[in-house]
Amino acid sequence: LKKLRQITVIGLGLLGSSITLAVSRTLMGVKSVGYSHRAVTRRKARRLGVAERIMDDIHKAVARADMVILATPIRTFEDIFRQIADSLPAGCIVTDVGSTKQEPHRWARQILPKNVYYVGSHPIAGSEQRGAEFARDDLFDGANCILTRTNSTSPKAIRTLGKFWSVLGCKVKVMGPGQHDRILADVSHLPHVAVAALINANSAEELKFAGRGFIDTSRIASGPANIWTDVLLTNSTNITRGIDKMVKELQKLQKAMNSGNEKSLHRLLERARNKREALIKYKMKTRTMA
Amino acid sequence: LKKLRQITVIGLGLLGSSITLAVSRTLMGVKSVGYSHRAVTRRKARRLGVAERIMDDIHKAVARADMVILATPIRTFEDIFRQIADSLPAGCIVTDVGSTKQEPHRWARQILPKNVYYVGSHPIAGSEQRGAEFARDDLFDGANCILTRTNSTSPKAIRTLGKFWSVLGCKVKVMGPGQHDRILADVSHLPHVAVAALINANSAEELKFAGRGFIDTSRIASGPANIWTDVLLTNSTNITRGIDKMVKELQKLQKAMNSGNEKSLHRLLERARNKREALIKYKMKTRTMA
C-alpha cells in the first residue's frame, strides 16, 4: 500500500470537483489530479481551479496515482475500470462515490488487477445541483460516509481510505455492499422514486398552487436524471421491495381515511412525525446533518 | 357590509397569531382581537403580544367584530359556528383558514345566521411548526390565498376579504370549494400522506443514514398530527383518488426499473424534473414562493 502523494479523481461534476477542492484544502502535500472525458468540462474545471492538474488522458491521469476515485455515473464504472486497469500502479487504492455498491464491487472483482485495492465509498452528501460550479471544499463536512468491503477487501486499504474521508470531515462506517444497497434503497433511492411519482401524479396547472412544503419535499427530484437512472437500475430489487412497502403504507392511510378511523389515522401520522423528530435529534447529536 | 374596525381571530396558533400580527403591522386603525379556549395559549399570546386584546369569552370576542377568522383545526369549525352564531353582529364577515373548504361551507350554510357573510379563505402559507412562538407578521407575504365561494356568496364580501388578504401580501384567487379541495388534495394533502407513508416504510435504524435530501423531503411530516387528521378526514375522497394516481406512477417506475427499461425510466425521472423546474420558474416569476 502506497503513501498518499497523488489522488486522481475521474469525473469533475459536483462530487468529483468537491473532492479535489477538499483535498487541496485539507491534505497538504497531496497532489490533486482531475480527469474528465469532456473537453468543455475540463475547460470549466481549469477555469474554476478545482484541481492542481486537469488531464485529458485517462491513462496518464491514473499512472502515478496512489488513490483513484471514480465520480461519474455508476454504469460508466465498468468501462472506466477496463480503460484504466493496465495503467494503475501496483498498490494503488481504487474507489468510487457511487450511490449503489453491489455492482461496482462485482465489476472491480472481474476487471481490476490483483495488485490494486478496491474499496467502495459512499459519502452521503451532495445536492440536486450538478457541475463543478456548485462544488464546495466543505461538501463532506459532517456527512456520513459508508465504506463497503467484501471478504477479500484489504483491511489496510479500508483504514487508509477511512482516514482519507475522515480528514474530509466524514463520519465513516464500514459494511458489506449488500447491506449498503438495502439501507440506501430505503433512505435515499425510494424517496427519490416516491417524489418523482408524486410530481408525475400532479398536473402542471395544479402545481401552480403548491406551497413551500411541496417545493422542499420535491427538491430531490431536480437531481440529474441520468445519474439517478443508473442508481435505480443498479439497485432495482431493493427499491422494488421498498415501493411495495410504501404502497402498503399508503393503503393503510387510505383505509383509515375512508373508514373515518380518526384514531388510526392520527396514529399513522403521529408515528411518521415522531420518527422524523427522532431522526433530527440523532442528526443534531451526531452532527451528521450534511 | 361593515367597514373594518375590528378583526377577531379564533385560535392563536402559528396561523392565527401570524394574522393578528400582520393586521397590526399593515392595517392601521383596525383593532386585532384574539381568542383561544386554552388559558395557557392565551397567556402565551399575551406574553408575546400577538394581538391588541386577548379575550377568554368567545361571545364577547366576536360581538363587536367586523370580521371573524377561524384558525383552529377544521373539525372544530362546526362547533365554533354554533357557539358564535347568536353573538355575531349583523353584516359581519366570517371566514377561516382551513386547508379544506367543502365541509366548512356546508357547516356555515347550516349554522350561521343569514345576516352574516361567510367566505372560505385558504392562505397557502405556514410551516411544520406550531404555536404563537413561531408566528411572523410577514408569513403571508407572497403566498397564494384561495377564496372559496358558492352561488349564494356575497360578491361584496369576497371583494372585501380579497382586499384584506392582499394587504397582508397574498395573491388572491377565487374558486368553488369543490375545485379548491380537488387541487389541494393533489398539491398539499397527497404530498403529506406520501411523505408519512415514506417515513413509515422505513425503520428508525436505517433512517440514521438519511442525508440532507431526506431531511428536506420529510419536513412536512413534522406538521401537527391533529390538524392534518382533520384535513385528511374532510377531503378523503379527493385524496383517495390522489393515492391511486400515485400508486400507478410508482408502479410505472417499478416496471421500468425491473424490466431494465433505461429509456422509460429516464423519461419518467426527467418528466418529474422538468415539471419541478417549470414550477420553480413560475413561482419565481409570480413571486409566490412563500
mmCIF file of all heavy atoms in Angstrom, chain A residues 213-249:
data_model
loop_
_atom_site.group_PDB
_atom_site.id
_atom_site.type_symbol
_atom_site.label_atom_id
_atom_site.label_comp_id
_atom_site.label_asym_id
_atom_site.label_seq_id
_atom_site.Cartn_x
_atom_site.Cartn_y
_atom_site.Cartn_z
ATOM 1 N N GLY A 213 -43.983 23.891 1.264
ATOM 2 C CA GLY A 213 -43.818 22.490 1.656
ATOM 3 C C GLY A 213 -43.531 21.604 0.459
ATOM 4 O O GLY A 213 -42.602 20.798 0.476
ATOM 5 N N PHE A 214 -44.314 21.789 -0.600
ATOM 6 C CA PHE A 214 -44.126 20.978 -1.794
ATOM 7 C C PHE A 214 -42.776 21.267 -2.452
ATOM 8 O O PHE A 214 -42.110 20.357 -2.949
ATOM 9 C CB PHE A 214 -45.261 21.235 -2.789
ATOM 10 C CG PHE A 214 -45.245 20.282 -3.942
ATOM 11 C CD1 PHE A 214 -45.904 19.072 -3.869
ATOM 12 C CD2 PHE A 214 -44.522 20.581 -5.095
ATOM 13 C CE1 PHE A 214 -45.865 18.179 -4.929
ATOM 14 C CE2 PHE A 214 -44.477 19.690 -6.157
ATOM 15 C CZ PHE A 214 -45.150 18.486 -6.069
ATOM 16 N N ILE A 215 -42.393 22.531 -2.456
ATOM 17 C CA ILE A 215 -41.098 22.917 -3.051
ATOM 18 C C ILE A 215 -39.964 22.158 -2.349
ATOM 19 O O ILE A 215 -39.071 21.610 -2.999
ATOM 20 C CB ILE A 215 -40.875 24.442 -2.910
ATOM 21 C CG1 ILE A 215 -42.020 25.233 -3.547
ATOM 22 C CG2 ILE A 215 -39.518 24.843 -3.479
ATOM 23 C CD1 ILE A 215 -42.042 25.251 -5.045
ATOM 24 N N ASP A 216 -40.014 22.119 -1.024
ATOM 25 C CA ASP A 216 -38.960 21.432 -0.268
ATOM 26 C C ASP A 216 -39.036 19.917 -0.454
ATOM 27 O O ASP A 216 -38.024 19.261 -0.678
ATOM 28 C CB ASP A 216 -39.071 21.760 1.220
ATOM 29 C CG ASP A 216 -38.651 23.187 1.519
ATOM 30 O OD1 ASP A 216 -38.173 23.868 0.589
ATOM 31 O OD2 ASP A 216 -38.799 23.626 2.668
ATOM 32 N N THR A 217 -40.248 19.394 -0.354
ATOM 33 C CA THR A 217 -40.422 17.941 -0.493
ATOM 34 C C THR A 217 -39.916 17.452 -1.844
ATOM 35 O O THR A 217 -39.329 16.376 -1.942
ATOM 36 C CB THR A 217 -41.913 17.576 -0.334
ATOM 37 O OG1 THR A 217 -42.285 17.779 1.030
ATOM 38 C CG2 THR A 217 -42.178 16.123 -0.701
ATOM 39 N N SER A 218 -40.127 18.250 -2.881
ATOM 40 C CA SER A 218 -39.820 17.786 -4.232
ATOM 41 C C SER A 218 -38.401 18.113 -4.687
ATOM 42 O O SER A 218 -37.999 17.712 -5.772
ATOM 43 C CB SER A 218 -40.823 18.399 -5.216
ATOM 44 O OG SER A 218 -40.729 19.811 -5.200
ATOM 45 N N ARG A 219 -37.606 18.780 -3.842
ATOM 46 C CA ARG A 219 -36.279 19.239 -4.278
ATOM 47 C C ARG A 219 -35.434 18.123 -4.877
ATOM 48 O O ARG A 219 -34.812 18.283 -5.932
ATOM 49 C CB ARG A 219 -35.513 19.901 -3.116
ATOM 50 C CG ARG A 219 -34.131 20.414 -3.535
ATOM 51 C CD ARG A 219 -33.410 21.148 -2.425
ATOM 52 N NE ARG A 219 -33.157 20.342 -1.249
ATOM 53 C CZ ARG A 219 -32.169 19.449 -1.146
ATOM 54 N NH1 ARG A 219 -31.354 19.241 -2.159
ATOM 55 N NH2 ARG A 219 -31.999 18.763 -0.036
ATOM 56 N N ILE A 220 -35.409 16.962 -4.205
ATOM 57 C CA ILE A 220 -34.537 15.882 -4.686
ATOM 58 C C ILE A 220 -34.862 15.445 -6.117
ATOM 59 O O ILE A 220 -33.989 14.943 -6.814
ATOM 60 C CB ILE A 220 -34.570 14.656 -3.743
ATOM 61 C CG1 ILE A 220 -36.009 14.164 -3.491
ATOM 62 C CG2 ILE A 220 -33.897 14.976 -2.423
ATOM 63 C CD1 ILE A 220 -36.073 12.865 -2.680
ATOM 64 N N ALA A 221 -36.103 15.679 -6.549
ATOM 65 C CA ALA A 221 -36.474 15.262 -7.913
ATOM 66 C C ALA A 221 -35.776 16.096 -8.973
ATOM 67 O O ALA A 221 -35.800 15.747 -10.144
ATOM 68 C CB ALA A 221 -37.983 15.347 -8.109
ATOM 69 N N SER A 222 -35.143 17.205 -8.587
ATOM 70 C CA SER A 222 -34.398 18.011 -9.550
ATOM 71 C C SER A 222 -32.995 17.462 -9.786
ATOM 72 O O SER A 222 -32.226 18.022 -10.557
ATOM 73 C CB SER A 222 -34.319 19.472 -9.076
ATOM 74 O OG SER A 222 -35.577 20.085 -9.212
ATOM 75 N N GLY A 223 -32.648 16.365 -9.121
ATOM 76 C CA GLY A 223 -31.346 15.729 -9.353
ATOM 77 C C GLY A 223 -31.240 15.241 -10.793
ATOM 78 O O GLY A 223 -32.254 14.983 -11.442
ATOM 79 N N PRO A 224 -30.007 15.130 -11.322
ATOM 80 C CA PRO A 224 -29.796 14.738 -12.720
ATOM 81 C C PRO A 224 -30.411 13.372 -13.041
ATOM 82 O O PRO A 224 -30.126 12.381 -12.367
ATOM 83 C CB PRO A 224 -28.275 14.660 -12.850
ATOM 84 C CG PRO A 224 -27.716 15.349 -11.650
ATOM 85 C CD PRO A 224 -28.757 15.330 -10.583
ATOM 86 N N ALA A 225 -31.234 13.314 -14.071
ATOM 87 C CA ALA A 225 -31.957 12.078 -14.411
ATOM 88 C C ALA A 225 -31.008 10.955 -14.822
ATOM 89 O O ALA A 225 -31.267 9.783 -14.522
ATOM 90 C CB ALA A 225 -32.980 12.358 -15.504
ATOM 91 N N ASN A 226 -29.905 11.293 -15.480
ATOM 92 C CA ASN A 226 -29.013 10.211 -15.934
ATOM 93 C C ASN A 226 -28.327 9.529 -14.753
ATOM 94 O O ASN A 226 -28.212 8.305 -14.702
ATOM 95 C CB ASN A 226 -27.984 10.739 -16.943
ATOM 96 C CG ASN A 226 -27.060 11.784 -16.344
ATOM 97 O OD1 ASN A 226 -27.469 12.525 -15.445
ATOM 98 N ND2 ASN A 226 -25.834 11.854 -16.813
ATOM 99 N N ILE A 227 -27.889 10.313 -13.781
ATOM 100 C CA ILE A 227 -27.243 9.739 -12.596
ATOM 101 C C ILE A 227 -28.230 8.862 -11.835
ATOM 102 O O ILE A 227 -27.910 7.749 -11.405
ATOM 103 C CB ILE A 227 -26.687 10.866 -11.700
ATOM 104 C CG1 ILE A 227 -25.463 11.487 -12.392
ATOM 105 C CG2 ILE A 227 -26.328 10.345 -10.306
ATOM 106 C CD1 ILE A 227 -24.841 12.627 -11.645
ATOM 107 N N TRP A 228 -29.473 9.341 -11.689
ATOM 108 C CA TRP A 228 -30.472 8.578 -10.932
ATOM 109 C C TRP A 228 -30.956 7.344 -11.681
ATOM 110 O O TRP A 228 -31.296 6.330 -11.073
ATOM 111 C CB TRP A 228 -31.625 9.501 -10.508
ATOM 112 C CG TRP A 228 -31.242 10.252 -9.283
ATOM 113 C CD1 TRP A 228 -30.739 11.522 -9.211
ATOM 114 C CD2 TRP A 228 -31.245 9.749 -7.945
ATOM 115 N NE1 TRP A 228 -30.448 11.839 -7.903
ATOM 116 C CE2 TRP A 228 -30.756 10.776 -7.101
ATOM 117 C CE3 TRP A 228 -31.626 8.540 -7.360
ATOM 118 C CZ2 TRP A 228 -30.633 10.621 -5.720
ATOM 119 C CZ3 TRP A 228 -31.509 8.388 -5.977
ATOM 120 C CH2 TRP A 228 -31.015 9.415 -5.179
ATOM 121 N N THR A 229 -30.992 7.421 -13.004
ATOM 122 C CA THR A 229 -31.338 6.229 -13.773
ATOM 123 C C THR A 229 -30.350 5.113 -13.447
ATOM 124 O O THR A 229 -30.732 3.965 -13.202
ATOM 125 C CB THR A 229 -31.309 6.540 -15.291
ATOM 126 O OG1 THR A 229 -32.276 7.551 -15.561
ATOM 127 C CG2 THR A 229 -31.638 5.305 -16.115
ATOM 128 N N ASP A 230 -29.063 5.447 -13.395
ATOM 129 C CA ASP A 230 -28.034 4.453 -13.076
ATOM 130 C C ASP A 230 -28.221 3.894 -11.660
ATOM 131 O O ASP A 230 -28.085 2.693 -11.435
ATOM 132 C CB ASP A 230 -26.638 5.080 -13.192
ATOM 133 C CG ASP A 230 -26.159 5.114 -14.637
ATOM 134 O OD1 ASP A 230 -27.006 4.998 -15.538
ATOM 135 O OD2 ASP A 230 -24.942 5.246 -14.858
ATOM 136 N N VAL A 231 -28.519 4.770 -10.721
ATOM 137 C CA VAL A 231 -28.722 4.328 -9.333
ATOM 138 C C VAL A 231 -29.873 3.321 -9.284
ATOM 139 O O VAL A 231 -29.754 2.225 -8.719
ATOM 140 C CB VAL A 231 -29.038 5.527 -8.407
ATOM 141 C CG1 VAL A 231 -29.443 5.052 -7.016
ATOM 142 C CG2 VAL A 231 -27.842 6.476 -8.321
ATOM 143 N N LEU A 232 -30.992 3.681 -9.912
ATOM 144 C CA LEU A 232 -32.183 2.827 -9.822
ATOM 145 C C LEU A 232 -31.967 1.499 -10.545
ATOM 146 O O LEU A 232 -32.387 0.444 -10.056
ATOM 147 C CB LEU A 232 -33.406 3.562 -10.390
ATOM 148 C CG LEU A 232 -33.747 4.915 -9.725
ATOM 149 C CD1 LEU A 232 -35.045 5.472 -10.293
ATOM 150 C CD2 LEU A 232 -33.838 4.813 -8.204
ATOM 151 N N LEU A 233 -31.292 1.548 -11.694
ATOM 152 C CA LEU A 233 -31.091 0.308 -12.461
ATOM 153 C C LEU A 233 -30.113 -0.649 -11.768
ATOM 154 O O LEU A 233 -30.170 -1.851 -11.980
ATOM 155 C CB LEU A 233 -30.594 0.628 -13.875
ATOM 156 C CG LEU A 233 -31.653 1.194 -14.835
ATOM 157 C CD1 LEU A 233 -31.020 1.565 -16.168
ATOM 158 C CD2 LEU A 233 -32.791 0.197 -15.051
ATOM 159 N N THR A 234 -29.204 -0.110 -10.936
ATOM 160 C CA THR A 234 -28.241 -0.988 -10.262
ATOM 161 C C THR A 234 -28.700 -1.385 -8.856
ATOM 162 O O THR A 234 -27.952 -2.002 -8.105
ATOM 163 C CB THR A 234 -26.845 -0.327 -10.166
ATOM 164 O OG1 THR A 234 -26.973 0.959 -9.547
ATOM 165 C CG2 THR A 234 -26.222 -0.169 -11.544
ATOM 166 N N ASN A 235 -29.935 -1.015 -8.495
ATOM 167 C CA ASN A 235 -30.441 -1.410 -7.174
ATOM 168 C C ASN A 235 -31.934 -1.711 -7.235
ATOM 169 O O ASN A 235 -32.673 -1.496 -6.272
ATOM 170 C CB ASN A 235 -30.159 -0.301 -6.142
ATOM 171 C CG ASN A 235 -30.179 -0.818 -4.703
ATOM 172 O OD1 ASN A 235 -30.121 -2.031 -4.474
ATOM 173 N ND2 ASN A 235 -30.283 0.081 -3.734
ATOM 174 N N SER A 236 -32.370 -2.226 -8.368
ATOM 175 C CA SER A 236 -33.815 -2.325 -8.610
ATOM 176 C C SER A 236 -34.517 -3.314 -7.682
ATOM 177 O O SER A 236 -35.656 -3.087 -7.287
ATOM 178 C CB SER A 236 -34.089 -2.664 -10.078
ATOM 179 O OG SER A 236 -33.469 -3.880 -10.427
ATOM 180 N N THR A 237 -33.855 -4.405 -7.315
ATOM 181 C CA THR A 237 -34.511 -5.397 -6.443
ATOM 182 C C THR A 237 -34.866 -4.788 -5.092
ATOM 183 O O THR A 237 -35.996 -4.914 -4.613
ATOM 184 C CB THR A 237 -33.593 -6.622 -6.237
ATOM 185 O OG1 THR A 237 -33.164 -7.079 -7.515
ATOM 186 C CG2 THR A 237 -34.337 -7.738 -5.521
ATOM 187 N N ASN A 238 -33.900 -4.101 -4.481
ATOM 188 C CA ASN A 238 -34.172 -3.480 -3.180
ATOM 189 C C ASN A 238 -35.215 -2.367 -3.280
ATOM 190 O O ASN A 238 -36.068 -2.221 -2.410
ATOM 191 C CB ASN A 238 -32.880 -2.898 -2.589
ATOM 192 C CG ASN A 238 -31.929 -3.980 -2.108
ATOM 193 O OD1 ASN A 238 -32.356 -4.936 -1.455
ATOM 194 N ND2 ASN A 238 -30.659 -3.849 -2.427
ATOM 195 N N ILE A 239 -35.129 -1.567 -4.337
ATOM 196 C CA ILE A 239 -36.068 -0.443 -4.468
ATOM 197 C C ILE A 239 -37.478 -0.961 -4.742
ATOM 198 O O ILE A 239 -38.460 -0.410 -4.233
ATOM 199 C CB ILE A 239 -35.603 0.536 -5.563
ATOM 200 C CG1 ILE A 239 -34.182 1.027 -5.256
ATOM 201 C CG2 ILE A 239 -36.553 1.730 -5.661
ATOM 202 C CD1 ILE A 239 -33.518 1.776 -6.391
ATOM 203 N N THR A 240 -37.566 -2.026 -5.530
ATOM 204 C CA THR A 240 -38.866 -2.647 -5.784
ATOM 205 C C THR A 240 -39.529 -3.064 -4.476
ATOM 206 O O THR A 240 -40.716 -2.816 -4.244
ATOM 207 C CB THR A 240 -38.687 -3.881 -6.700
ATOM 208 O OG1 THR A 240 -38.409 -3.408 -8.016
ATOM 209 C CG2 THR A 240 -39.937 -4.732 -6.725
ATOM 210 N N ARG A 241 -38.742 -3.673 -3.597
ATOM 211 C CA ARG A 241 -39.262 -4.065 -2.297
ATOM 212 C C ARG A 241 -39.708 -2.822 -1.517
ATOM 213 O O ARG A 241 -40.740 -2.814 -0.861
ATOM 214 C CB ARG A 241 -38.174 -4.831 -1.526
ATOM 215 C CG ARG A 241 -38.727 -5.740 -0.449
ATOM 216 C CD ARG A 241 -37.607 -6.555 0.207
ATOM 217 N NE ARG A 241 -36.936 -7.394 -0.762
ATOM 218 C CZ ARG A 241 -35.603 -7.549 -0.869
ATOM 219 N NH1 ARG A 241 -34.795 -6.905 -0.054
ATOM 220 N NH2 ARG A 241 -35.091 -8.345 -1.784
ATOM 221 N N GLY A 242 -38.919 -1.757 -1.601
ATOM 222 C CA GLY A 242 -39.265 -0.506 -0.927
ATOM 223 C C GLY A 242 -40.578 0.071 -1.441
ATOM 224 O O GLY A 242 -41.416 0.521 -0.660
ATOM 225 N N ILE A 243 -40.752 0.047 -2.749
ATOM 226 C CA ILE A 243 -42.005 0.559 -3.334
ATOM 227 C C ILE A 243 -43.189 -0.253 -2.811
ATOM 228 O O ILE A 243 -44.223 0.303 -2.438
ATOM 229 C CB ILE A 243 -41.952 0.529 -4.878
ATOM 230 C CG1 ILE A 243 -40.928 1.558 -5.381
ATOM 231 C CG2 ILE A 243 -43.332 0.809 -5.480
ATOM 232 C CD1 ILE A 243 -40.709 1.565 -6.888
ATOM 233 N N ASP A 244 -43.022 -1.569 -2.742
ATOM 234 C CA ASP A 244 -44.110 -2.416 -2.216
ATOM 235 C C ASP A 244 -44.460 -2.020 -0.775
ATOM 236 O O ASP A 244 -45.630 -1.914 -0.415
ATOM 237 C CB ASP A 244 -43.712 -3.894 -2.271
ATOM 238 C CG ASP A 244 -43.684 -4.428 -3.710
ATOM 239 O OD1 ASP A 244 -44.301 -3.788 -4.586
ATOM 240 O OD2 ASP A 244 -43.045 -5.463 -3.951
ATOM 241 N N LYS A 245 -43.420 -1.800 0.050
ATOM 242 C CA LYS A 245 -43.658 -1.387 1.447
ATOM 243 C C LYS A 245 -44.394 -0.054 1.490
ATOM 244 O O LYS A 245 -45.325 0.146 2.263
ATOM 245 C CB LYS A 245 -42.313 -1.224 2.191
ATOM 246 C CG LYS A 245 -41.722 -2.501 2.739
ATOM 247 C CD LYS A 245 -40.624 -2.220 3.774
ATOM 248 C CE LYS A 245 -39.337 -1.704 3.121
ATOM 249 N NZ LYS A 245 -38.260 -1.422 4.086
ATOM 250 N N MET A 246 -43.963 0.869 0.624
ATOM 251 C CA MET A 246 -44.567 2.200 0.630
ATOM 252 C C MET A 246 -46.023 2.152 0.170
ATOM 253 O O MET A 246 -46.887 2.827 0.741
ATOM 254 C CB MET A 246 -43.766 3.135 -0.259
ATOM 255 C CG MET A 246 -44.404 4.499 -0.284
ATOM 256 S SD MET A 246 -43.308 5.823 -0.713
ATOM 257 C CE MET A 246 -44.534 7.132 -0.839
ATOM 258 N N VAL A 247 -46.305 1.359 -0.857
ATOM 259 C CA VAL A 247 -47.687 1.231 -1.329
ATOM 260 C C VAL A 247 -48.562 0.693 -0.192
ATOM 261 O O VAL A 247 -49.683 1.170 0.023
ATOM 262 C CB VAL A 247 -47.764 0.324 -2.583
ATOM 263 C CG1 VAL A 247 -49.198 -0.050 -2.908
ATOM 264 C CG2 VAL A 247 -47.111 1.030 -3.774
ATOM 265 N N LYS A 248 -48.034 -0.267 0.567
ATOM 266 C CA LYS A 248 -48.796 -0.795 1.719
ATOM 267 C C LYS A 248 -49.098 0.313 2.722
ATOM 268 O O LYS A 248 -50.204 0.400 3.252
ATOM 269 C CB LYS A 248 -47.998 -1.917 2.405
ATOM 270 C CG LYS A 248 -48.181 -3.262 1.731
ATOM 271 C CD LYS A 248 -47.944 -4.418 2.718
ATOM 272 C CE LYS A 248 -47.884 -5.725 1.949
ATOM 273 N NZ LYS A 248 -46.497 -6.087 1.544
ATOM 274 N N GLU A 249 -48.090 1.156 3.003
ATOM 275 C CA GLU A 249 -48.301 2.250 3.964
ATOM 276 C C GLU A 249 -49.310 3.266 3.435
ATOM 277 O O GLU A 249 -50.125 3.798 4.185
ATOM 278 C CB GLU A 249 -46.974 2.942 4.298
ATOM 279 C CG GLU A 249 -45.979 2.085 5.090
ATOM 280 C CD GLU A 249 -46.477 1.764 6.507
ATOM 281 O OE1 GLU A 249 -47.270 2.546 7.055
ATOM 282 O OE2 GLU A 249 -46.063 0.722 7.059
#
